[in-house]
Each structure stands twice: as C-alpha cells, then as structure tokens.
Amino acid sequence: MDKKLTLLQTVAAAGVFSTISFWYGFMFGRESSRKELGNVIQDLRRGNNNQNETPPQ
C-alpha cells in the first residue's frame, strides 16, 4: 500500500507541530522569567543589591 500525504495534511501537521512548539517555548520562557524576576524582587526586598551586575539593556 502506498501512503501519501496531501499538501493539506502536510500543512496541517506542520501547523500543529508549530503551535505545540510555540506553546511549550512560551510556557518555558514565562516560567524562567518568573523565577528570575522572583529572585530579583526578593533580593530587592532584602536589600541585597548586587553592584557588580551589568544593568539590563
């Protein structure tokens, strides 16, 4: 049996893969940012200012 994907099936599969990849990347980036900013906020609340860090650009 010869199975072939149509153009529509290929585009649909690529779209699903792209959507899932974007979602996981977005959630991972969001979680990383939350942790990093949470640490910065806690340091500021405690008064632990790191003077040797470079400022954000």
Side-chain angles (χ1 to χ4, degrees):
M1 244 191 234
D2 194 16
K3 280 203 163 200
K4 290 187 177 182
L5 291 177
T6 65
L7 180 60
L8 181 60
Q9 289 172 324
T10 304
V11 170
V16 168
F17 178 79
S18 179
T19 301
I20 292 171
S21 297
F22 171 78
W23 179 253
Y24 278 108
F26 172 75
M27 294 305 284
F28 178 76
R30 185 175 152 214
E31 183 67 16
S32 296
S33 296
R34 186 190 64 78
K35 286 180 182 177
E36 185 176 328
L37 290 176
N39 290 337
V40 170
I41 291 169
Q42 289 300 323
D43 286 346
L44 290 173
R45 285 181 181 161
R46 291 186 194 115
N48 298 337
N49 232 353
N50 294 337
Q51 297 297 329
N52 55 358
E53 284 189 17
T54 57
Q57 297 180 2

